[in-house]
Amino acid sequence: MINFQYARAHDVAEAVRQMGADPAAKLIAGGTNLVDLMKYDVERPSRLIDISRLPLTSIEETGQGLRIGALVSNAELAYHPLIEKRYPLLSSAILAGASAQLRNMASTGGNLLQRTRCHYFYDVATPCNKREPGSGCSALSGINRMHAILGTSEACIATHPSDLCVALAVLEATVEVAGPGGERGIPFADFHRLPAEEPERDTNLAHGEIITAITLPARGFSSHYTYLKIRDRLSYAFALVSVAVGLELEGNRIKEGRFALGGVAHKPWRNPAAEALLRGQEANEATFKAAADAVLREAKGYAHNGFKIELARRALVRALGQAARATPQSQSNKSIR
Ligand SMILES: Cc1cc2nc3c(=O)[nH]c(=O)nc-3n(C[C@H](O)[C@H](O)[C@H](O)COP(=O)(O)OP(=O)(O)OC[C@H]3O[C@@H](n4cnc5c(N)ncnc54)[C@H](O)[C@@H]3O)c2cc1C
Ligand code: SF4
């Protein structure tokens, strides 16, 4: 049993103030990740600041795009008519994740900040640099089938488990935050970090900063998109590899393309140089393979996850084809609310 204090914040400023007053405090939204981590003794907050009743629950048009409040639930977001119509990639990615019950509880902001599913991170009897900096990485010489193949370091080879975030990377969202120093917007590509020497830091958010919203630019790739998730079970499983794709086509020629891989790195993995290989090219298998080869050229496998390199290459080629043909991957749990 761990002792902690509980307080409810009534507005964003109060939540920021309460966080600033206690370096060991944690915000709680849906609680679907944080409460598990507390039960496993991975997180030991001195105080939980409940933000679940803050008025950050609307989805609004901004003129250029959409602004999604940080407390919009994953379910509400996936089924919102504007998201289904203009950003169906986002909807597909969310519905590929978790379960209906979890999506009802989980918040948009919390999804970005969920922590890795590395088994050793959850097992407090084993060394883990992310949980206890300097203790070592058990996955390097342990069971690493689910682990990263891109952007790893000697300190950590964990992956980021979110599906929603892979789509947000392709959509080039901005994360709006409020903190002791005021408000700022963080481009999605700069929000999550690679492990390098500080795997304990998942993001560039400072202590005391709260995500208030996610903004989406106008471009939603609503005609040519797909979210393809490869996993051990068809539902209720994290990605071995996932791919989000958005294409703009003129006839059969690619005007612009974005793609990101999930389940392969400490953050959703984009490679702008590989995306540039699509520009102006025919949407065919040769083009897709060239882009996939460029992304996976830097990949490195460990004892049990070498298969992910070829899996990611094939998944990316398949996903690009699905997007180009406007035949997105259907999610089996689309109708389960
Ligand atoms: C069994 C299971 C299966 C799952 N499968 C998937 C899956 O397949 N795909 C997938 O993407 N996800 C999956 N999830 C993860 C789930 O989507 C996340 O747990 C959820 O999105 C987290 O949101 P939350 O509101 O519950 O966050 P919480 O648990 O409340 O918080 C998580 C973290 O975010 C911080 N936080 C929350 N809101 C804010 C905010 N506004 N500003 C700053 N910090 C904040 C908290 O302090 C905490 O550190 C699964 C979870 C479970 C338990
Ligand atoms: S991969 Fe990262 S999270 Fe997993 S044991 Fe190593 S340091 Fe910990």
Side-chain angles (χ1 to χ4, degrees):
M1 191 67 188
I2 53 169
N3 283 320
F4 59 88
Q5 293 180 328
Y6 170 88
R8 177 166 288 159
H10 297 96
D11 55 40
V12 170
E14 188 188 348
V16 169
R17 233 181 359 262
Q18 290 194 28
M19 283 293 284
D22 184 350
K26 280 256 164 200
L27 300 169
I28 184 161
T32 61
N33 190 216
L34 182 55
V35 173
D36 277 356
L37 290 166
M38 289 171 67
K39 287 183 187 163
Y40 282 104
D41 205 17
V42 175
E43 297 274 13
R44 288 183 149 261
S46 56
R47 167 189 285 252
L48 285 184
I49 300 165
D50 185 347
I51 55 168
S52 63
R53 311 272 174 96
L54 295 186
L56 303 173
T57 52
S58 58
I59 298 178
E60 293 157 7
E61 296 195 68
T62 59
Q64 294 94 37
L66 279 192
R67 185 171 191 278
I68 302 160
L71 290 166
V72 171
S73 75
N74 288 184
E76 252 180 286
L77 185 57
Y79 293 115
H80 194 282
L82 286 173
I83 299 292
E84 287 187 318
K85 184 164 175 240
R86 289 169 51 187
Y87 305 93
L89 170 62
L90 194 54
S91 193
S92 302
I94 296 167
L95 294 176
S99 64
Q101 292 89 337
L102 282 160
R103 293 193 295 269
N104 281 328
M105 282 304 290
S107 66
T108 301
N111 191 297
L112 270 58
L113 293 167
Q114 62 175 297
R115 306 215 67 192
T116 183
R117 292 281 158 175
C118 171
H119 340 280
Y120 302 105
F121 177 68
Y122 278 77
D123 180 355
V124 293
T126 60
C128 167
N129 286 324
K130 186 180 279 297
R131 181 171 24 80
E132 202 182 323
S135 62
C137 170
S138 298
L140 276 174
S141 57
I143 297 170
N144 46 40
R145 181 171 174 274
M146 293 294 288
H147 287 73
I149 52 172
L150 286 160
T152 55
S153 74
E154 284 303 304
C156 178
I157 59 171
T159 57
H160 193 265
S162 167
D163 292 294
L164 167 70
C165 291
V166 187
L168 290 177
V170 163
L171 294 169
E172 299 181 319
T174 300
V175 185
E176 286 184 25
V177 307
E183 297 178 359
R184 63 181 179 127
I186 309 174
F188 204 77
D190 301 332
F191 184 75
H192 294 100
R193 296 165 58 94
L194 290 178
E197 297 307 309
E198 286 182 294
E200 68 276 18
R201 292 187 63 196
D202 293 346
T203 71
N204 286 315
L205 210 59
H207 180 80
E209 283 189 316
I210 296 182
I211 301 176
T212 52
I214 306 293
T215 50
L216 298 178
R219 184 162 64 187
F221 300 107
S222 58
S223 301
H224 295 280
Y225 71 93
T226 204
Y227 188 72
L228 173 61
K229 180 173 178 180
I230 314 282
R231 48 192 152 169
D232 287 329
R233 295 184 306 274
L234 195 53
S235 84
Y236 210 49
F238 292 93
L240 283 167
V241 167
S242 69
V243 188
V245 174
L247 298 176
E248 279 181 358
L249 296 185
E250 273 174 350
N252 195 39
R253 204 164 279 282
I254 301 168
K255 201 171 144 205
E256 203 57 72
R258 296 281 180 275
F259 54 84
L261 294 170
V264 298
H266 203 252
K267 61 189 284 188
W269 191 263
R270 268 189 67 195
N271 181 326
E275 289 172 350
L277 295 177
L278 298 175
R279 201 171 298 133
Q281 301 300 312
E282 285 283 315
N284 60 28
E285 185 131 332
T287 302
F288 304 153
K289 279 186 169 160
D293 286 344
V295 181
L296 275 314
R297 199 166 292 137
E298 304 161 18
K300 173 182 167 194
Y302 294 83
H304 310 114
N305 71 349
F307 73 97
K308 277 193 175 189
I309 299 175
E310 187 57 22
L311 185 64
R313 184 181 285 115
R314 291 184 191 203
L316 181 49
V317 171
R318 181 167 135 198
L320 285 162
Q322 287 177 345
R325 290 190 300 274
T327 53
Q329 183 79 9
S330 66
Q331 301 302 341
S332 61
N333 51 1
K334 169 102 179 132
S335 59
I336 305 170
R337 294 186 187 223

